[in-house]
């Protein structure tokens, strides 16, 4: 409207007046400084986008590794929940409610109280178990209360990707990769 145009014209007149009061060299330096600031901001924005791309690529790699580990361990978790396997591992699996999430149905997970979600933690869980839990909690239909536990797992795992050898070791049940004990030495003659 008319008042807005008059206000804009007044503002520009004041700004031009201020510029005219400055020596030419000062105006040129101010203009160059403003241009440099714009260029620096554009470079910083470009760097930020590059970092975000790298982070997204790392996250995609993490998700793929976690999925591979979780898929290879499904039968092992089911066996432990049925009481099959090493007695100490079965006992540990049954004592940790966090590990029970690996074999629980989505409906059962939705029934977990907010209090129990707050009590879940990462202590005592292996990296293999944490990665499997992260995949399980990332499936569709998980309750909102699981988000804090999921964030805790992500913070515990960090952003560093495991090596291929570590991934291979995590794709097999604990104790499966252990070498058999060496044979006893022969008796002395």
């Amino acid at each position: 409207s008319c008042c807005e145009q008059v206000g804009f014209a007044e503002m520009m007149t004041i700004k031009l007046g201020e510029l005219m009061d400055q020596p030419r060299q000062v105006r040129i330096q101010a203009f160059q400084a403003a241009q440099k600031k714009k260029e620096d901001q554009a470079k910083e924005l470009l760097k930020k986008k590059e970092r975000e791309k790298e982070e997204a690529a790392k996250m995609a790699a993490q998700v793929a590794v976690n999925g591979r580990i979780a898929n290879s361990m499904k039968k092992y978790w089911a066996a432990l929940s049925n009481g099959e396997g090493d007695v100490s591992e079965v006992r540990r699996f049954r004592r940790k409610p966090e590990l029970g999430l690996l074999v629980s149905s989505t409906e059962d997970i939705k029934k977990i109280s907010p209090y129990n979600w707050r009590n879940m933690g990462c202590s005592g869980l292996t990296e293999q178990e944490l990665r499997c839990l992260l995949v399980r909690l990332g499936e569709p239909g998980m309750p909102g209360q699981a988000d804090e536990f999921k964030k805790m797992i992500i913070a515990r795992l960090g952003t560093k990707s495991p090596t291929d050898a570590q991934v291979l070791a995590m794709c097999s049940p604990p104790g499966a990769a252990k070498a058999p004990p060496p044979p006893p030495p022969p008796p002395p003659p």
Side-chain angles (χ1 to χ4, degrees):
S1 77
C2 181
C3 291
E4 290 174 8
Q5 291 173 351
V6 170
F8 179 75
E10 284 180 41
M11 181 183 70
M12 289 308 292
T13 304
I14 292 170
K15 186 170 179 98
L16 286 172
E18 290 172 358
L19 285 174
M20 295 309 289
D21 288 343
Q22 295 177 347
R24 183 171 192 266
Q25 189 61 31
V26 174
R27 289 193 311 257
I28 291 171
Q29 286 175 347
F31 177 74
Q32 289 172 342
Q35 290 291 25
K36 183 164 175 32
K37 186 177 178 182
K38 276 185 182 179
E39 289 172 7
D40 290 346
Q41 286 176 339
K43 286 179 185 176
E44 190 61 38
L45 183 64
L46 192 62
K47 285 180 185 178
K48 183 179 177 184
K49 285 183 180 181
E50 289 290 326
R51 282 193 304 267
E52 287 174 354
K53 270 186 180 177
E54 289 173 11
E55 287 297 318
K58 283 181 184 178
M59 286 302 293
Q62 289 272 18
V63 168
V65 165
N66 293 346
R68 180 176 162 202
I69 294 168
N71 283 336
S72 65
M73 295 299 295
K74 279 184 181 178
K75 290 180 182 177
Y76 178 70
W77 303 134
L80 286 179
S81 71
N82 292 330
E84 302 165 9
D86 183 40
V87 176
S88 62
E89 285 293 316
V90 170
R91 199 173 322 128
R92 181 177 171 275
F93 186 86
R94 289 184 176 163
R95 262 192 260 137
K96 294 238 175 236
E98 297 88 353
L99 295 178
L101 297 173
L102 295 169
V103 294
S104 298
S105 68
T106 304
E107 291 78 31
D108 289 341
I109 291 176
K110 286 181 180 179
K111 292 177 186 175
I112 296 173
S113 72
Y115 175 78
N116 287 337
W117 279 112
R118 282 192 303 273
N119 287 333
M120 290 197 183
C122 298
S123 64
L125 298 177
T126 64
E127 183 178 354
Q128 176 188 50
E129 294 163 345
L130 292 171
R131 290 184 182 282
C132 291
L133 279 167
L134 197 55
V135 170
R136 180 69 177 120
L137 295 175
E139 292 175 1
M142 288 298 133
Q145 296 98 330
D147 289 344
E148 285 302 315
F149 183 46
K150 192 174 173 182
K151 288 177 189 174
M152 195 184 316
I153 293 171
I154 292 170
R156 177 80 182 267
L157 288 174
T159 57
K160 187 179 176 192
S161 295
T163 64
D164 290 339
Q166 290 171 326
V167 171
L168 193 58
M170 285 188 272
C171 284
S172 57
K178 291 181 184 171

